[in-house]
Amino acid sequence: MKLSTYLSLGLVALVLGVLIVFQFRVTRHIEQGVPAGRAQELALELRQLEKDKSKLGAEANDLSLKLEQVTRGQTEAEKALKDELAKARLLAGLVPVTGPGIELTLDNPPQQAGGRGPASLYAIRDEDLLRVINELRGAGAEALSINGQRIVAHTEIRWAAPFINVNLTRIVPPYHILAIGKPDNLKSALEIPGGLVEYLQDLGVQVKIQPYDRLTIPGYSRTTEFRYAKPVVKG
């Protein structure tokens, strides 16, 4: 019994001794802290991380600036493209336009008094309208229409008795020709002595020219399709 007690007490004393020694070593290690060499390594690593952080921050700012420039450049490019498209549509006659100009009205010769028929057998033909259009273009007309049909590069003015076709649309007299440009220049070009108006009046055609400070010409409304003509590709 006593032997058993002594053995138990000895075992407890041994465990206590081991615990005390372990506690002493841990405490000493904590008191000593991080070794000096390791502390220097950590300090160097910290400085390097700070440098890397600063470098990454600068790169991020640079990328943000470049992104902003690209976005701004893209917006400007889109605006330039839209402006060019609007200009192309204007030049092609696809949009309505307004401005100063004149209205030229042409009608076949009037009836004679008493209903005896027209004073002249002459009837306005397609070549007369073509001559008027060319004369007005030469005088600086920027937009033209005949009876509401916009005159563009591929407009046909063709005799199809008893009608005249413009943009595949039949038109009949009186012919109302609108021209946007400087009114005085347009009117003078038509009324020049020995010019187009005098020629038509000699044939019995009724001619009236009215200047306007502002008139509106519609855009070309038909669909244009190129089945054979293709752009030239430079290679």
Side-chain angles (χ1 to χ4, degrees), residues 58-105:
E59 291 179 357
N61 291 335
D62 183 57
L63 290 174
S64 297
L65 179 60
K66 290 180 179 178
L67 179 60
E68 181 181 351
Q69 292 174 345
V70 169
T71 303
R72 184 168 60 249
Q74 182 179 2
T75 302
E76 294 174 353
E78 289 179 356
K79 182 179 182 302
L81 288 174
K82 289 180 179 179
D83 290 344
E84 287 298 318
L85 179 59
K87 182 179 179 181
R89 288 176 59 81
L90 177 65
L91 292 174
L94 302 180
V95 295
V97 290
T98 184
I102 65 169
E103 179 182 12
L104 171 65
T105 304

Side-chain angles (χ1 to χ4, degrees), residues 126-206:
D126 52 348
E127 56 260 32
D128 297 322
L129 298 183
L130 283 169
R131 292 182 66 181
V132 170
I133 294 300
N134 288 336
E135 195 70 40
L136 290 171
R137 279 177 170 165
E142 297 177 353
L144 294 157
S145 70
I146 302 177
N147 287 20
Q149 293 297 317
R150 180 70 175 269
I151 306 301
V152 295
H154 50 272
T155 292
E156 91 290 349
I157 300 177
R158 187 162 53 94
W159 176 257
F163 309 101
I164 294 178
N165 283 347
V166 178
N167 293 335
L168 300 178
T169 301
R170 291 179 174 181
I171 61 174
V172 295
Y175 301 108
H176 299 278
I177 303 170
L178 301 182
I180 289 181
K182 189 174 182 180
D184 291 342
N185 291 352
L186 300 176
K187 190 170 184 292
S188 297
L190 295 174
E191 292 180 336
I192 187 173
L196 187 55
V197 167
E198 186 175 316
Y199 164 77
L200 292 173
Q201 288 176 336
D202 288 344
L203 294 173
V205 175
Q206 303 177 76

Side-chain angles (χ1 to χ4, degrees), residues 26-38:
V26 171
T27 303
R28 184 178 180 183
H29 180 72
I30 293 175
E31 289 176 352
Q32 288 178 348
V34 180
R38 180 58 180 162

Side-chain angles (χ1 to χ4, degrees), residues 2 22 82 105 115 209-210 215 222 233:
K2 290 183 179 180
F22 179 76
K82 289 180 179 179
T105 304
I209 301 177
Q210 178 65 47
L215 50 81
R222 301 184 68 88
V233 179

Side-chain angles (χ1 to χ4, degrees), residues 48 183 213:
Q48 185 62 41
D213 293 332

